[in-house]
Amino acid sequence: MFQLEGTMGEHGMERGTSRRRIEDDRFLRGTGRFVDDIATPGALHGAALRSPHAHARILSIDTAAAAVMPGVRAVLTTAELRADGIGPLPCIAKVATVEPLIIPVRPALADGLVRHVGDAVAFVIAETPAQARDAAEAILVEYDPLPAVTDGEAALAQGAPQLWPEAAGNLCFRFRKGDAAAVEAAFAAATTIVELDLVNNRVTAAPMEPRTAIGSFDAATGDYLLEVSGQAVHGIRDQLADTVFRVPRERMQVVAPDVGGGFGAKNFLFPEYVLLLLAARRLGRPVRWVSDRTEDFLSTAQGRDNRTRARLGLDAEGRFLGLQVETIANLGAYLSSSGPGSSTNAPGTAMGGLYAIPAVHMDVRGAFTNTVPIDAYRGAGKPEANYIIERLIDLAAHRTGHSATELRRRNLIADFPHKTAMGMTIDVGEFHANLDRALAAANVAGFAARREASRARGMLRGLGVACFLETSRGAPGEWAAVRFEADERVALAIGTQSNGQGHETSFPQVAADLLGLPVDTFRLVQADTRHVTRGHGHGGARSLHMGGEALVRAIDVVLVKGRGLAAQLLQSPEASLHFAGGRFSVEGDPSGSGIGLLELARAAREAGAPLDAEVDSDLDLVTFPNGCQVAEVEIDRETGKLSLERYVAIDDYGRLVNPMLTIGQVQGGLAQGIGQALFEEIAYDQDSGQILTASLMDYCLPRAEDLPPLEVTCIEVPTASNRLGVKGSGQAGCIGAPQTVMNAVLDALAPLGIETIDMPATPGRLWQAMRDAAAVR
């Protein structure tokens, strides 16, 4: 369910049109091409042996029995990696820390110590997957178990088990941003200071398609090829070439076909990709690997996992004066490619949300623990930052007697451009209007009657209102090319990448408008380092913002070149030519003389001077998607069972290229954010370090029956930060939903005197909280 308000595409334009996704035809017919669909004649298969211990010394590894089992062609351990000069997996995050960022060496296979359950110890290559798995189980590893620690706060405590000798006290970094002195001065002047301890629970991406890859090596050319279910092929290529295999980048090619979901986790370089390429080089045959679901839980980067103490100072009228945030970020056993950024740079841009808070300071300590490494998961830091301020506002309202809605209205940014205390300049927004729109759309005025009806049935009903601010850009700049092909089609090559967002539809819609050609004239080229020269892939809701800007600039070049050639062929001055509807024509010429763009491209190609163009866009401006959302829940007092009764979102993503695709992205993000609030949590046993939620039997994803219709209305407030006027939408639902749902949960529990509860608000956790509150009362 969705609605649109604001400007739409002009009549006949593709932009602003809700066109069904071009790629859905092959997905619905089962003809998509995912990595496991790629035929690789003569391919071998890999299987990893993983540690059953969270922390242990490796005393010995005996591979003799495995090496002679049927079908086995090789067994790799860290000894083979050292012998072949294979470098470690890099951490490429650039974080300005006040205490040095410690980056321990991370080999593709554990070297001397294992540091989390699932840490890969050996890799078997055999003729079939079953033979590889059987041989992996035949490897004998002697371990000396060591004490483990899985909680970030516990890891930084005195006497905690130490993971790395170079990281004293398990401290990876300390990061500070903002003005601490200004915050202290604000607190000194405050009438009220509210304080809250928050847990942002650890989650996993759980994409429909688990990680999978094929590694190949051409001995004649020295070229490597990795075909991978991934999100950022150029980044993976560069790390493999520069740090791991130490070969020229042109010798390392990375390709991603259709990708069955990523949500951030598939942006990164993982050990299995290194092992596949090494095995292919050693054996002279392609090697395939497919993760099963439990293996994915044990080895794919996880998300969130922060413990935060936050304080908000207010004056007597309820105006926000200062925000202080102290966080311990659990980073896991190793630093994933971009791991430290999710708790430092990323939340720092959005800390304070949509509110005019004059003084903000954050202090983050990163901790090593015996858990799967943490990295960017949908929103990456922005959900955490928004969760903090929105939870604090509701607590402040409860403590001071102010209305939570009025506290928001009083403090929302009203004048633009606005420079936040964290140095971000927000260009445009309708924050107050969106709050009012959300309250009206959700019929907040009628909530009291609905609450009374629930009470009459012995149920608790709660209403949650929350706002969100995203800071979308990801990596700055992007590359794009436009290529006119001999079959009269136009290839759009772009350095961003889809893993389900609908890029094959939206980018052609942009090009169709600008070049005046039918949308089916275009085909998208992406996620292939052989055909896309450069790119930063997907991440940070950057694709249409950054990739779209690069495409617009490439089309500018095409039209400049085309105008010059058309002037020659039409024997008219360039200034007299008019371009519309895919055709250059001479203004004022009654004969209607002109030439179509595709005809012009054919003539240019035959003349040896194609109209093709490629550009490197240097755009580095951030956009600010935002909105206000409302959730309504009902809780059974006897069982703790919660029902999400309604969810309403009034969101601003700038100008919309394809409203239907935008809404789909938002609804998917909302489902994931609701999942974190109510269902999802990666849990570890505190004593053994064993993961307790390593399958979908234990890790609860939201089902369709758990969600009401997600009512999304888009308000178009175009930004001038890019030529399309767009703001990223891919992460926003995941950023807005957790605090909205949790505010509704706490509103329902407020009559019982319950002021705080941690995510996920499962029936068991709710039941226990109500029982404890009853005992106190």
Side-chain angles (χ1 to χ4, degrees):
M1 178 176 181
F2 67 86
Q3 292 178 299
L4 296 166
E5 294 184 11
T7 59
M8 296 287 290
E10 296 176 11
H11 181 69
M13 293 181 66
E14 278 292 337
R15 278 181 290 172
T17 301
S18 287
R19 173 183 284 270
R20 292 186 182 276
R21 300 195 317 176
I22 293 169
E23 49 269 62
D24 281 350
D25 181 72
R26 66 175 185 275
F27 294 152
L28 293 172
R29 294 175 185 273
T31 59
R33 186 171 180 268
F34 299 86
V35 170
D36 207 36
D37 297 319
I38 298 174
T40 48
L44 299 168
H45 299 266
L49 175 66
R50 301 187 182 277
S51 169
H53 300 284
H55 199 194
R57 290 188 183 88
I58 301 174
L59 301 180
S60 65
I61 303 177
D62 184 352
T63 63
V68 297
M69 288 181 69
V72 173
R73 296 295 171 258
V75 180
L76 302 179
T77 67
T78 191
E80 283 70 36
L81 270 65
R82 284 197 298 269
D84 282 25
I86 301 300
L89 279 69
C91 172
I92 59 173
K94 295 179 174 62
V95 179
T97 58
V98 296
E99 294 185 25
L101 175 64
I102 305 297
I103 305 178
V105 173
R106 185 188 184 188
L109 291 169
D111 189 359
L113 283 167
V114 291
R115 291 181 170 85
H116 68 88
V117 172
D119 211 351
V121 175
F123 196 69
V124 177
I125 303 94
E127 294 289 341
T128 70
Q131 289 172 335
R133 288 194 295 268
D134 289 346
E137 292 179 1
I139 298 172
L140 299 177
V141 183
E142 184 180 0
Y143 295 100
D144 176 20
L146 299 170
V149 60
T150 60
D151 175 78
E153 188 172 19
L156 296 182
Q158 188 172 3
Q162 297 297 290
L163 272 72
W164 299 97
E166 61 267 45
N170 295 317
L171 182 67
C172 174
F173 64 79
R174 189 159 196 165
F175 172 90
R176 292 191 178 109
K177 186 174 182 178
D179 190 333
V183 171
E184 288 303 321
F187 285 170
T191 302
T192 303
I193 298 174
V194 293
E195 183 173 311
L196 194 56
D197 289 330
L198 296 168
V199 174
N200 213 286
N201 43 316
R202 180 180 282 237
V203 293
T204 189
M208 186 176 294
E209 179 195 24
R211 287 192 301 114
T212 180
I214 304 168
S216 305
F217 178 74
D218 188 331
T221 63
D223 288 347
Y224 297 82
L225 173 63
L226 180 72
E227 296 166 289
V228 62
S229 179
Q231 293 180 240
V233 295
H234 291 86
I236 294 171
R237 177 203 65 183
D238 294 351
Q239 294 169 57
L240 284 168
D242 298 349
T243 305
V244 180
F245 286 90
R246 303 183 182 98
V247 296
R249 290 181 178 180
E250 60 268 21
R251 298 269 72 86
M252 182 69 66
Q253 303 299 335
V254 179
V255 177
D258 290 327
V259 177
F263 315 116
K266 290 182 181 177
N267 269 314
F268 315 117
L269 176 61
F270 288 95
E272 296 84 4
Y273 308 159
V274 176
L275 300 170
L276 289 169
L277 292 171
L278 174 60
R281 189 176 76 183
R282 278 181 158 239
L283 300 171
R285 293 168 64 181
V287 184
R288 306 173 66 101
W289 169 78
V290 179
S291 173
D292 63 32
R293 185 59 65 185
T294 293
E295 192 172 21
D296 218 47
F297 275 97
L298 295 175
S299 63
T300 297
Q302 296 170 355
R304 313 293 192 242
D305 203 348
N306 293 338
R307 291 184 176 271
T308 295
R309 174 162 293 175
R311 295 199 298 162
L312 178 66
L314 303 86
D315 68 14
E317 286 72 42
R319 292 183 179 85
F320 303 157
L321 302 179
L323 172 66
Q324 182 185 71
V325 176
E326 297 176 352
T327 295
I328 295 174
N330 187 341
L331 302 171
Y334 304 94
L335 290 189
S336 182
S337 301
S338 303
S342 297
S343 52
T344 55
N345 296 334
T349 62
M351 196 63 69
L354 296 183
Y355 306 99
I357 308 177
V360 180
H361 184 255
M362 58 185 290
D363 186 333
V364 185
R365 289 180 291 161
F368 288 112
T369 66
N370 297 111
T371 61
V372 173
I374 287 286
D375 214 313
Y377 168 69
R378 200 168 191 173
K382 273 63 78 76
E384 295 92 318
N386 281 273
Y387 187 70
I388 290 168
I389 185 61
E390 294 295 331
R391 285 286 309 275
L392 280 169
I393 293 172
D394 269 32
L395 179 62
H398 181 70
R399 294 280 177 87
T400 64
H402 286 98
S403 158
T405 297
E406 288 309 311
L407 280 183
R408 288 183 169 86
R409 182 177 284 110
R410 185 164 298 177
N411 290 281
L412 283 168
I413 296 165
D415 299 319
F416 299 93
H418 173 87
K419 187 171 184 179
T420 72
M422 302 304 265
M424 306 302 292
T425 299
I426 303 175
D427 55 345
V428 292
E430 295 184 2
F431 301 165
H432 285 86
N434 286 344
L435 172 61
D436 292 336
R437 288 167 176 145
L439 298 177
N443 187 19
V444 170
F447 174 70
R450 298 193 295 275
R451 171 174 264 175
E452 180 58 28
S454 293
R455 188 197 65 77
R457 294 186 292 107
M459 310 289 277
L460 298 169
R461 197 173 191 96
L463 181 79
V465 178
C467 299
F468 79 89
L469 171 73
E470 169 152 31
T471 52
S472 68
R473 184 196 69 182
E478 194 46 85
W479 176 94
V482 178
R483 301 165 182 155
F484 291 85
E485 301 180 320
D487 63 357
E488 301 280 285
R489 297 196 71 195
V490 182
L492 309 174
I494 299 177
T496 65
Q497 180 189 334
S498 172
N499 55 100
Q501 300 94 320
H503 291 186
E504 291 177 55
T505 304
S506 54
F507 281 116
Q509 285 184 272
V510 172
D513 268 5
L514 297 176
L515 293 177
L517 299 172
V519 71
D520 56 8
T521 305
F522 303 93
R523 69 179 187 91
L524 186 66
V525 178
Q526 60 172 347
D528 189 334
T529 61
R530 298 169 300 185
H531 304 297
V532 178
T533 304
R534 289 173 292 281
H536 296 298
H538 172 71
R542 66 184 302 277
S543 290
L544 195 55
H545 173 191
M546 290 293 164
E549 176 73 19
L551 177 60
V552 170
R553 295 187 186 189
I555 288 173
D556 285 345
V557 175
V558 166
L559 293 177
V560 169
K561 293 168 70 173
R563 183 176 294 275
L565 181 58
Q568 295 178 33
L569 296 177
L570 297 174
Q571 297 183 351
S572 295
E574 290 187 26
S576 69
L577 297 184
H578 174 67
F579 182 77
R583 182 178 177 84
F584 284 101
S585 57
V586 180
E587 291 187 8
D589 186 340
S591 68
S593 62
I595 185 169
L597 185 61
L598 295 182
E599 181 184 354
L600 191 66
R602 184 167 57 251
R605 186 168 54 251
E606 292 170 354
L611 295 186
D612 300 357
E614 67 174 87
V615 301
D616 281 298
S617 166
D618 59 356
L619 182 66
D620 64 354
L621 298 177
V622 174
T623 66
F624 299 91
N626 65 86
C628 182
Q629 301 179 355
V630 182
E632 199 164 320
V633 303
E634 191 175 69
I635 300 172
D636 188 325
R637 297 185 66 156
E638 298 299 319
T639 66
K641 184 180 185 301
L642 180 146
S643 172
L644 181 58
E645 295 292 301
R646 194 174 181 196
Y647 201 100
V648 173
I650 305 292
D651 294 351
D652 165 21
Y653 304 110
R655 185 169 287 118
L656 303 181
V657 169
N658 186 317
M660 183 167 61
L661 298 195
T662 302
I663 299 303
Q665 283 295 296
V666 175
Q667 290 174 326
L670 288 173
Q672 286 184 292
I674 293 166
Q676 182 180 8
L678 299 180
F679 305 103
E680 301 181 45
E681 183 175 31
I682 290 289
Y684 290 88
D685 182 80
Q686 292 185 4
D687 295 324
S688 68
Q690 291 293 324
I691 186 170
L692 303 177
T693 50
S695 77
L696 294 179
M697 293 291 289
D698 308 298
Y699 186 88
C700 184
L701 295 174
R703 273 64 171 176
E705 66 180 4
D706 299 315
L707 303 174
L710 300 174
E711 305 169 46
V712 180
T713 298
C714 287
I715 308 299
E716 293 191 72
V717 184
T719 175
S721 64
N722 61 82
R723 298 269 292 280
L724 294 175
V726 299
K727 307 171 187 177
S729 64
Q731 303 183 140
C734 217
I735 295 171
Q739 61 268 18
T740 307
V741 171
M742 292 305 292
N743 283 349
V745 169
L746 288 165
D747 184 57
L749 298 176
L752 306 183
I754 299 171
E755 284 191 334
T756 186
I757 192 169
D758 289 325
M759 298 185 291
T762 60
R765 185 167 284 173
L766 292 170
W767 180 85
Q768 188 64 55
M770 290 187 289
R771 184 183 183 190
D772 292 345
V776 171
R777 294 164 69 93

